[in-house]
Amino acid sequence: MSGPGQLNPEQATLLIPLVAKASQNTWRDPILRDETAAQVLRRLGRAVPARPALRGDAFGLALRARALDEWTAAFLARHPAATVLHLGCGLDGRVDPVPVPPGARWFDLDLPEVIALRRAVYPRHEGPGYRMIAASVTEGGWLREVPREGPVLVIAEGLLMYLPEPEVRALLTRLGEMFPGGELVCDALSGLGVRLGGWHPALRASGATLRWGLEDPREVETWPPGFHLLDDVSLLDLPGFARLPRVERAAWRVLRRVPLLRRVHRLLRYRFQPLG
């Protein structure tokens, strides 16, 4: 099976959350169980690590995924005929554990190289209610493939921080103008988070570059077509960190006491409405 050797640095970072999720299956008290992640990792010819080098990082990524899964499930429970756009999906299998109603439509979108790899190693096949789209998220042509009626949920996990701010603005404006309302769930780094990310071992190894930092999530409310912040949660405040081993748990408690560090990585939920 071909591996991710042809992916560019930003695309290669898709292995980071994949390893984090797959490794959860080996833990005695996991935050989530994702057998699909472990299966995909094996199909890539990589072993599932019993203990990632940075256990706290893997734990944090699992907490992020669980929180976004919960927001996604809650949205679909309220809007069972909604459209879900999972942008920069990588090799994530969120569509499997999240309860997707029969009337919902789910689109996984990423660059052509990533989607080609996904089709080779991902166990789920396209069919009614589920499609993959091979396109750049910053180019608007792919939106012609997505129905516009009904509410839409946009998921952007581990994506927006790799885009320059003008591209983030253009993407959100385009989405808000195209659909008759919905929600955006995403994560964002502060400016400090972007700078610290440059020293992260996994990112340095991949050669990827972080570009967009957000200091105040309410800044997005000033962008057209009108976003309204519903939730702003620090990654450090997600329930579950207390289950880390003692040394890492102590470090987590110290980080939580520093306001600047609490804002480094956030999970955000916005409601958006159409122009006019």
Side-chain angles (χ1 to χ4, degrees):
M1 181 65 64
S2 61
Q6 286 70 46
L7 303 180
N8 69 30
E10 280 73 24
Q11 296 163 18
T13 61
L14 59 83
L15 291 174
I16 300 173
L18 182 68
V19 169
K21 286 186 171 186
S23 67
Q24 279 284 302
N25 297 312
T26 69
W27 292 11
R28 182 166 38 187
D29 187 22
I31 289 295
L32 53 78
R33 289 196 180 276
D34 192 335
E35 294 295 342
T36 299
Q39 184 177 348
V40 168
L41 203 59
R42 287 192 293 268
R43 288 186 175 189
L44 289 170
R46 293 169 177 258
V48 178
R51 184 178 178 87
L54 296 174
R55 183 180 172 97
D57 279 359
F59 208 74
L61 289 172
L63 286 173
R64 179 183 74 176
R66 185 182 69 177
L68 294 181
D69 284 353
E70 290 172 351
W71 279 348
T72 300
F75 183 88
L76 287 172
R78 295 193 304 271
H79 307 285
T83 296
V84 178
L85 300 179
H86 187 190
L87 306 183
C89 63
L91 297 177
D92 184 272
R94 171 168 285 118
V95 67
D96 290 325
V98 169
V100 180
R105 294 160 297 201
W106 188 294
F107 295 85
D108 277 335
L109 180 140
D110 215 312
L111 292 166
E113 302 92 330
V114 176
I115 293 298
L117 179 59
R118 185 180 180 88
R119 287 189 169 121
V121 300
Y122 188 60
R124 187 184 183 98
H125 299 292
E126 294 172 275
Y130 176 66
R131 279 194 53 204
M132 302 182 200
I133 299 177
S136 169
V137 71
T138 59
E139 298 172 2
W142 60 269
L143 281 166
R144 291 192 292 268
E145 303 183 42
V146 180
R148 300 189 188 183
E149 67 274 7
V152 63
L153 175 69
V154 180
I155 306 170
E157 179 182 14
L159 169 67
L160 300 180
M161 61 281 294
Y162 292 102
L163 303 178
E165 181 175 315
E167 293 187 2
V168 177
R169 285 175 174 257
L171 170 63
L172 299 191
T173 298
R174 191 180 301 121
L175 290 168
E177 292 174 345
M178 288 288 288
F179 297 101
E183 291 184 10
L184 164 70
V185 294
C186 64
D187 60 325
L189 299 177
S190 67
L192 175 62
V194 170
R195 293 191 294 274
L196 292 175
W199 295 96
H200 191 283
L203 288 179
R204 293 184 70 181
S206 72
T209 302
L210 298 172
R211 294 179 172 86
W212 180 56
L214 180 65
E215 301 302 335
D216 182 0
R218 293 201 177 275
E219 177 188 339
V220 176
E221 294 183 325
T222 68
W223 302 354
F227 286 79
H228 175 67
L229 182 66
L230 300 175
D231 285 296
D232 172 11
V233 183
S234 169
L235 185 70
L236 294 174
D237 288 336
L238 292 175
F241 271 105
R243 293 154 65 182
L244 280 168
R246 181 165 44 185
V247 173
E248 290 164 297
R249 187 166 65 246
W252 162 70
R253 287 173 174 163
V254 170
L255 293 174
R256 286 192 67 204
R257 293 193 183 103
V258 183
L260 190 64
L261 296 179
R262 286 172 71 104
R263 295 193 295 270
V264 160
H265 197 169
R266 290 163 142 131
L267 301 186
L268 306 172
R269 185 169 71 97
Y270 294 92
R271 182 177 65 241
F272 62 87
Q273 303 293 338
L275 286 172

